[in-house]
């Protein structure tokens, strides 16, 4: 990056408050938690709906950062660092990026659309990298923040850029266009993603097409609605399966189990292309890449040779259980400098052990000399406090002099020969390698061996849902996130770690052992135990958990232990029964509660709470009003008589949305965090968190009159293909989901469940689905959803989620 403090002052038309003395800026940062922040960092204090980074500046100054772009200088910090004061810090970040982009004149490919942006970007990088030094967006950095951060990674050695742009509503693309300034534009598939942000399909297309207003050329699937928004100055290159007037007409399309063959006509020349995919989405994305290659005048033979080597793109950082109590972060298909920085932040965010290990391959296409590149890598490894570093490849051995305690291997096979000698145990391991190194073999060697059924947890979706509900709160309202029942079946520690990263105020668990497990694993957030048993009180005290107290018997038992241990002001939470009639002090016990607590210094009432019985059903809103009024009365009585000002909270997930007037000091977010709402309109704004997946173990053909499963509950009325899936009621799939009630999804098609669900298996009808053994199967996720399953089984989503057995491996990932 070729910017210094004087440049930035000029670009933003703002004077420094302080004395930056022309310092070189090495890193632009927006994340106060990143261990990569240092004295060469320029930190932008972004202000969002749910967060204001200005509150973290004091800590950043302590860590050595002394250059900031802010909307105001926080009290007490003037003179302690250098500040550029601007009206809007996000717009300032975008201004810097747009200026920086203008310093480079090489071709830039801009990609937008509803689906396929990241895949097209990654495939183009693969296809063009033999001829260009490519800079591209890391992962799916395509937002108002991600795009500027991507562009700011350009350096003088790059000669081609590929950046993706994602928008969710109007008035967003104009800024991204100024930053990317694409010379070549690609519009991928236009689907339903973010439909809620646009009045119509036409409005969505119009907004996306703004990216290409000043491009030399735009590539798209032929569509009249698209063409009306193409600038007259921009060359249009279209493709189509049906319209012969398209620039590239696909005249023939055939496929086998693994490949698709197309014939395409370009400038009167007909060529055949073998595509190593069969699904429609991948084929369309390959065709977008094909048109770029044609525009850049690649010959048919070169195009075929490169496209036949394309591979499925893994766009996610996955967290998996490893051998010997290790946890693995699988980023085994990517090795570039920008994504390394992201992966290291993710490692810190998700570390489950104090010991952090990085396995890294040679890094390609950095645009830097090996000396500069690996010096920067060494700085990252050191700043992120990596305990053990393992380098694999010929050039990464440059780090030997910079990381004296590191270990190096010439290739992946050599590493695998020595893997047992490395004694991996009780550590979090980031595995990050360029595709040619086949690091998936390292993941396989270090992963815990379990069966092929997994519950995938989307950490991005958790973050999205958390922020969605947080946006409904007043700035002063605290948030408790419920991670009881093993995180509603999704995994307790990993989600708790993410919530800690988001600075949630409290975690809630049902029983002491859940809280002890989190504290032992290193979670530092305060944890409230909602259903503590008296026998667990010593352990609660030992592990600094905070018990909910709901009866005089429980209170006296806790006070006795607290006095024995000579505690002072140990936090407790008083539960009031306002109508749920499950747990809590009732109105006629409040006086006794006050007498017991008055003057007692061993405990401190940290909060007073109650629970709504019908917050999800507005037909009972009068009863909710009754509960809220009673809570106000009883809690106020306690506060007045005891002269305390504790946190008060009564709202659960549905209450947050339906009764915002009762936010009090804190709310408790439960099932909504995991992407489930009782309100169908609200559900549209939540993202699916958990996807339960398995595979096809075997496919057989049965004849008319033959049966499937125990009790012959299914009898074939035709010749049928039957697939067996290795998941059953021991994994948490209800037996009542069988016999044609439920279905699984294979190749985006419904496969009805036939006969009874067995303990470890279920069988489905795949007569109308072209599939094979080993293909992926979705048990629930986007389709069927847990809400749909619950409706069919006449239960609630909570039961579906929490029933998934612990023998089902959880895989956590971030897009």
């Amino acid at each position: 990056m070729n910017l210094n403090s004087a440049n930035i002052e000029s670009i933003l038309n703002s004077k420094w408050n302080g004395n930056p003395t022309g310092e070189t800026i090495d890193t632009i940062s927006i994340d106060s938690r990143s261990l990569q922040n240092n004295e060469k960092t320029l930190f932008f204090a972004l202000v969002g709906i749910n967060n204001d980074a200005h509150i973290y500046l004091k800590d950043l100054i302590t860590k050595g950062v002394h250059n900031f772009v802010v909307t105001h200088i926080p009290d007490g910090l003037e003179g302690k660092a250098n500040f550029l004061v601007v009206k809007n810090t996000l717009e300032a970040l975008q201004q810097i990026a747009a200026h920086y982009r203008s310093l480079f004149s090489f071709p830039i490919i801009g990609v937008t659309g509803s689906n396929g942006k990241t895949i097209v970007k990654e495939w183009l990088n693969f296809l063009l990298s033999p001829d260009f030094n490519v800079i591209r967006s890391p992962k799916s950095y395509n937002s108002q923040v991600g795009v500027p951060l991507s562009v700011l990674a350009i350096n003088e050695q790059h000669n081609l850029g590929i950046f993706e742009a994602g928008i969710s509503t109007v008035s967003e693309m104009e800024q991204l266009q100024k930053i990317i300034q694409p010379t070549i534009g690609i519009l991928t598939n236009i689907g339903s993603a973010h439909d809620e942000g646009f009045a119509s399909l036409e409005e969505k297309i119009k907004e996306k097409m703004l990216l290409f207003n000043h491009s030399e050329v735009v590539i798209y699937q032929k569509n009249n609605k698209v063409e009306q928004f193409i600038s007259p100055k921009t060359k249009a290159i279209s493709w189509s399966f049906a319209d012969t007037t398209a620039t590239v007409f696909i005249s023939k399309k055939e496929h086998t189990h693994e490949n698709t063959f197309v014939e395409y006509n370009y400038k009167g020349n007909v060529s055949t292309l073998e595509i190593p995919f069969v699904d429609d989405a991948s084929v369309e994305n390959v065709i977008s890449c094909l048109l770029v290659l044609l525009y850049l005048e690649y010959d048919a033979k070169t195009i075929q040779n490169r496209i036949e080597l394309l591979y499925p793109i893994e766009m996610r950082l996955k967290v998996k259980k490893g051998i010997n109590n290790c946890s693995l972060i699988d980023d085994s298909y990517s090795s570039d400098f920008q994504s390394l920085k992201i992966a290291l932040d993710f490692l810190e965010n998700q570390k489950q052990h104090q010991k952090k290990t990085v396995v890294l391959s040679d890094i390609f296409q950095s645009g830097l000399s090996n000396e500069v590149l690996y010096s920067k890598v060494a700085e990252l490894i050191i700043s992120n406090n990596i305990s053990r570093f393992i380098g694999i490849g010929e050039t990464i051995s440059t780090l030997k002099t910079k990381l004296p305690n590191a270990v190096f291997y010439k290739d992946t096979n050599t590493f695998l020969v020595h893997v047992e000698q490395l004694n991996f145990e009780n550590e979090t391991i980031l595995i990050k390698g360029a595709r040619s190194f086949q690091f998936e073999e390292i993941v396989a060697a270090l992963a815990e061996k379990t069966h092929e059924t997994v519950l995938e947890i989307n950490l991005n979706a958790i973050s999205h849902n958390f922020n969605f509900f947080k946006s409904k709160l007043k700035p002063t309202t605290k948030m408790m996130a419920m991670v009881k029942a093993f995180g509603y079946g999704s995994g307790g520690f990993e989600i708790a770690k993410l919530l800690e990263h988001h600075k949630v105020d409290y975690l809630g668990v049902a029983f002491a052992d859940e809280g002890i497990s989190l504290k032992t694993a290193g979670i530092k957030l305060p944890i409230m135990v909602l259903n503590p048993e008296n026998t667990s009180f010593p352990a609660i005290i030992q592990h600094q958990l905070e018990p909910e107290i709901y009866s005089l018997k429980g209170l006296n038992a806790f006070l006795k232990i607290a006095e024995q241990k000579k505690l002072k002001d140990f936090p407790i939470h008083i539960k009031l029964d306002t109508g749920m009639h499950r747990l809590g002090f009732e109105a006629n016990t409040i006086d006794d509660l006050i007498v017991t607590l008055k003057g007692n210094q061993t405990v401190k009432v940290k909060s007073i709470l109650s629970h709504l019985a019908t917050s999800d059903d507005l037909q009972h809103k009068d009863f909710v009003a009754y509960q809220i009024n009673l809570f106000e009365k009883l809690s106020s009585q306690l506060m007045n008589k005891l002269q305390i000002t504790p946190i008060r909270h009564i709202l659960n997930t549905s209450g947050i949305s339906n009764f915002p007037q009762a936010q009090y000091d804190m709310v408790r977010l439960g099932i909504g965090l995991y992407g489930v709402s009782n309100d169908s309109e609200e559900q549209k704004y939540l993202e699916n968190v958990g996807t339960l997946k398995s595979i096809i173990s075997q496919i057989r053909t049965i004849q008319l009159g033959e049966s499937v499963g125990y009790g012959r509950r299914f009898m074939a009325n035709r010749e049928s293909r039957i697939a067996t899936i290795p998941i059953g009621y021991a994994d948490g799939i209800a037996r009542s989901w069988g016999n044609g009630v439920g279905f699984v999804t294979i190749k985006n098609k419904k496969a009805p469940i036939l006969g009874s669900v067995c303990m470890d298996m279920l069988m489905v009808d795949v007569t109308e689905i072209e599939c094979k053994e080993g293909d992926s199967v979705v048990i629930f996720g986007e389709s069927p959803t847990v809400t749909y399953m619950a409706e069919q089984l006449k239960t609630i989503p909570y039961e579906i989620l929490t029933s998934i057995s612990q023998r089902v491996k959880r895989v956590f990932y971030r897009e």
Side-chain angles (χ1 to χ4, degrees):
M1 181 182 300
N2 187 25
L3 289 174
N4 59 43
S5 54
N7 297 144
I8 292 163
E9 184 180 65
S10 173
I11 296 164
L12 297 182
N13 193 27
S14 177
K15 291 289 183 184
W16 283 101
N17 183 301
N19 185 28
T21 63
E23 296 177 47
T24 298
I25 300 301
D26 185 59
T27 304
I28 299 289
S29 177
I30 60 165
D31 187 351
S32 63
R33 297 158 294 196
S34 175
L35 297 180
Q36 297 155 35
N37 293 319
N38 57 45
E39 68 278 1
K40 292 184 178 180
T41 295
L42 176 63
F43 185 86
F44 283 76
L46 300 187
V47 180
I49 296 173
N50 306 309
N51 204 9
D52 183 347
H54 289 79
I55 64 176
Y56 309 123
L57 301 195
K58 184 178 180 181
D59 290 340
L60 284 164
I61 292 171
T62 303
K63 293 174 182 175
V65 180
H66 50 254
N67 292 313
F68 299 90
V69 178
V70 298
T71 60
H72 64 280
I73 302 174
D75 291 343
L77 296 187
E78 190 154 355
K80 295 187 177 180
N82 305 315
F83 298 95
L84 269 178
V85 181
V86 298
K87 186 176 180 181
N88 184 304
T89 48
L90 174 57
E91 290 178 4
L93 174 65
Q94 294 171 336
Q95 273 181 268
I96 293 286
H99 170 82
Y100 189 71
R101 161 66 181 94
S102 69
L103 302 178
F104 301 90
S105 59
F106 55 76
I108 296 284
I109 300 174
V111 188
T112 193
S114 300
N115 307 298
K117 296 184 293 295
T118 303
I119 292 171
V120 168
K121 177 199 69 186
E122 292 297 323
W123 281 348
L124 282 174
N125 173 66
F126 173 82
L127 295 166
L128 297 172
S129 58
D131 310 307
F132 295 93
N133 196 347
V134 180
I135 173 71
R136 70 192 192 279
S137 312
K139 299 297 178 183
S140 54
Y141 266 39
N142 59 27
S143 67
Q144 298 291 309
V145 174
V147 169
L149 292 177
S150 300
V151 167
L152 286 164
I154 298 173
N155 66 47
E156 288 73 11
Q157 302 306 312
H158 293 125
N159 56 13
L160 178 71
I162 312 173
F163 299 105
E164 57 176 296
I167 57 171
S168 57
T169 189
V170 295
S171 304
E172 290 186 342
M173 190 60 87
E174 184 178 2
Q175 279 301 115
L176 300 187
Q177 191 282 327
K178 292 176 183 176
I179 299 166
I180 299 173
Q181 301 171 41
T183 53
I184 299 172
I186 302 174
L187 180 69
T188 63
N189 176 273
I190 296 291
S192 59
H194 301 297
D195 271 357
E196 66 277 3
F198 301 93
S200 64
L201 176 62
E202 286 76 9
E203 184 177 68
K204 179 194 280 192
I205 293 172
K206 180 181 180 181
E207 181 72 17
K208 289 184 181 293
M209 294 300 290
L210 291 176
L211 180 63
F212 313 129
N213 267 1
H214 303 289
S215 300
E216 296 170 5
V217 62
V218 60
I219 290 165
Y220 64 102
Q221 184 172 14
K222 191 163 180 60
N223 183 322
N224 292 335
K225 291 180 180 177
V226 170
E227 288 166 348
Q228 64 180 309
F229 299 114
I230 297 177
S231 168
K233 298 178 182 178
T234 301
K235 182 177 181 180
I237 298 183
S238 61
W239 65 269
S240 177
F241 290 119
D243 191 336
T244 57
T245 66
T247 314
V248 176
F249 176 59
I250 315 294
S251 57
K252 194 174 182 181
K253 179 181 173 187
E254 299 174 346
H255 58 82
T256 64
H257 277 301
E258 296 183 350
N259 298 293
T260 300
F261 297 86
V262 299
E263 267 186 9
Y264 63 94
N265 187 320
Y266 177 61
K267 293 184 176 179
N269 297 315
V270 177
S271 303
T272 300
L273 180 66
E274 181 179 350
I275 297 171
F277 306 99
V278 295
D279 63 289
D280 292 342
S282 294
V283 171
E284 289 185 12
N285 291 331
V286 170
I287 292 172
S288 291
C289 296
L290 165 67
L291 266 66
V292 174
L293 297 178
L294 291 172
Y295 176 70
L296 295 175
E297 299 183 344
Y298 281 79
D299 62 81
K301 184 178 179 181
T302 302
I303 290 172
Q304 177 61 71
N305 290 343
R306 293 189 185 179
I307 282 181
E308 68 186 20
L309 297 176
L310 288 178
Y311 49 87
I313 296 296
E314 182 55 76
M315 296 183 289
R316 310 179 299 192
L317 287 161
K318 290 184 176 179
V319 183
K320 303 176 178 179
K321 287 187 177 180
I323 59 173
N324 304 325
N325 196 36
C326 290
S327 57
L328 310 179
I329 297 176
D330 180 1
D331 196 12
S332 55
Y333 292 97
S334 171
S335 183
D336 60 84
F337 185 67
Q338 283 305 108
S339 67
L340 174 61
K341 296 167 75 173
I342 295 168
L344 287 170
D345 279 342
F346 185 69
L347 169 60
E348 179 63 22
N349 178 285
Q350 277 294 309
K351 68 178 180 183
Q352 299 186 21
H353 309 276
Q354 284 305 307
K355 187 175 181 181
K356 297 186 293 184
T357 296
V358 171
V359 182
L360 182 68
S361 79
D362 287 346
I363 294 176
F364 302 128
Q365 298 173 306
S366 69
L368 304 170
S369 68
N370 283 343
E371 177 62 29
V372 173
L373 169 64
Y374 289 112
S375 292
K376 287 179 174 289
V377 170
E379 290 173 9
L380 285 179
I381 297 302
I382 293 167
S383 67
N384 279 269
N385 303 318
I386 300 304
S387 313
R388 171 158 62 160
F389 181 85
I390 298 168
I392 298 178
E394 298 290 342
T395 60
I396 202 167
S397 59
T398 304
L399 285 171
K400 281 181 180 177
T401 58
K402 299 176 174 64
L403 299 172
N405 296 321
V407 180
F408 296 89
Y409 299 92
K410 67 176 182 178
D411 55 38
T412 302
N413 286 336
T414 307
F415 167 84
L416 291 171
V417 168
H418 295 90
V419 70
E420 291 188 8
Q421 301 167 21
L422 292 167
N423 300 318
F424 290 104
E425 62 177 347
N426 300 316
E427 53 197 293
T428 302
I429 307 167
L430 169 63
I431 301 169
K432 185 168 182 59
R435 182 173 176 78
S436 58
F437 283 86
Q438 298 181 311
F439 269 20
E440 64 270 22
E441 295 181 16
I442 297 178
V443 175
L446 297 181
E448 182 182 69
K449 305 305 181 280
T450 56
H451 68 95
E452 292 135 321
T453 299
V454 298
L455 180 60
E456 292 186 347
I457 309 300
N458 185 339
L459 295 174
N460 292 79
I462 292 274
S463 297
H464 169 87
N465 298 336
F466 173 81
N467 287 324
F468 172 77
F469 284 100
K470 190 175 181 182
S471 70
K472 293 173 175 282
L473 305 180
K474 295 177 290 189
T476 55
T477 304
K478 299 179 185 296
M479 176 87 82
M480 175 185 286
M482 309 307 296
V483 291
K484 62 182 181 177
F486 195 60
Y488 288 71
S490 297
F493 171 79
E494 292 82 1
I495 291 173
K497 189 69 180 172
L498 177 64
L499 293 167
E500 192 168 57
H501 183 73
H502 281 299
K503 300 187 183 299
V504 72
D505 299 285
Y506 257 90
L507 297 177
V509 298
F511 298 104
D513 57 351
E514 295 175 312
I516 291 169
S517 176
L518 293 177
K519 285 290 187 182
T520 303
I523 297 298
K524 296 179 174 58
L525 287 172
I527 300 175
M528 176 177 159
V529 182
L530 281 79
N531 305 322
E533 297 158 321
N534 291 3
T535 54
S536 70
F537 286 156
I540 284 175
I541 292 169
Q542 178 187 346
H543 293 278
Q544 293 295 298
L545 303 172
E546 302 180 17
E548 174 188 287
I549 302 295
Y550 50 82
S551 69
L552 285 170
K553 180 181 177 182
L555 176 58
N556 287 322
F558 189 82
L559 289 176
K560 182 178 179 181
I561 295 171
E563 288 163 3
Q564 290 171 352
K565 294 182 177 292
K566 296 182 170 55
L567 300 181
K568 183 174 175 57
D569 291 338
F570 193 92
I572 64 172
H573 302 262
I574 298 298
K575 175 74 170 286
L576 303 178
D577 181 2
T578 58
M580 182 79 170
H581 296 330
R582 187 171 63 179
L583 294 174
F585 291 91
E586 295 180 282
N588 60 5
T589 61
I590 296 298
D591 288 339
D592 291 336
L593 172 62
I594 291 169
V595 169
T596 306
L597 286 174
K598 198 155 193 174
N600 192 300
Q601 296 183 356
T602 59
V603 296
K604 177 182 180 180
V605 178
K606 193 69 177 288
S607 83
I608 302 173
L609 67 145
S610 190
H611 193 65
L612 298 178
T614 59
S615 62
D616 60 339
D617 188 349
L618 293 178
Q619 290 184 352
H620 294 285
K621 62 182 180 181
D622 290 342
F623 185 72
V624 173
Y626 162 78
Q627 284 196 268
I628 293 170
N629 290 335
L630 183 56
F631 177 68
E632 174 66 29
K633 176 184 173 184
L634 297 181
S635 60
S636 296
Q637 185 181 348
L638 274 173
M639 292 165 65
N640 292 334
K641 291 294 179 69
L642 297 174
Q643 295 186 329
I644 57 175
T645 54
I647 298 167
R648 289 193 288 177
H649 48 114
I650 191 171
L651 297 185
N652 54 8
T653 296
S654 297
I656 292 170
S657 299
N658 293 334
F659 301 96
Q661 74 279 8
Q663 286 182 19
Y664 284 98
D665 306 298
M666 185 162 72
V667 298
R668 302 186 301 272
L669 179 60
I671 195 73
L673 184 65
Y674 304 93
V676 178
S677 172
N678 291 300
D679 183 280
S680 58
E681 282 303 308
E682 184 173 80
Q683 185 66 55
K684 296 176 183 177
Y685 295 94
L686 300 181
E687 293 186 358
N688 178 65
V689 169
T691 300
L692 182 59
K693 288 184 173 180
S694 192
I695 64 164
I696 298 175
S697 295
Q698 190 175 40
I699 296 176
R700 70 185 70 248
T701 300
I702 64 171
Q703 302 303 315
L704 171 69
E706 291 190 301
S707 61
V708 173
Y710 287 116
R712 307 193 74 197
R713 288 186 173 86
F714 172 78
M715 305 290 291
N717 58 10
R718 60 173 179 172
E719 181 180 278
S720 304
R721 292 177 75 235
I722 309 300
T724 300
I725 319 298
I727 184 171
Y729 58 77
D731 300 293
I733 305 302
R735 288 188 78 245
S736 51
W737 188 234
N739 296 311
V741 174
F743 67 91
V744 301
T745 299
I746 301 172
K747 300 286 186 181
N748 295 317
K749 295 181 179 179
K750 293 181 180 180
I753 298 173
L754 304 179
S756 298
V757 174
C758 306
M759 180 181 289
D760 308 298
M761 287 171 279
L762 56 82
M763 287 71 74
V764 300
D765 186 350
V766 293
T767 307
E768 306 299 331
I769 302 173
E770 190 170 316
C771 57
K772 60 184 185 298
E773 292 172 0
D775 280 350
S776 179
V777 178
V778 174
I779 312 301
F780 67 63
E782 296 289 351
S783 177
T785 64
V786 291
T787 301
Y788 174 83
M789 291 178 71
E791 289 170 352
Q792 298 303 304
L793 295 173
K794 295 180 171 52
T795 183
I796 55 176
Y798 296 76
E799 183 176 359
I800 306 292
L801 291 171
T802 58
S803 295
I804 302 306
S805 165
Q806 292 306 299
R807 77 176 185 175
V808 174
K809 180 169 69 172
R810 270 68 174 172
V811 174
F812 299 84
Y813 69 89
R814 175 171 288 174
E815 300 286 359

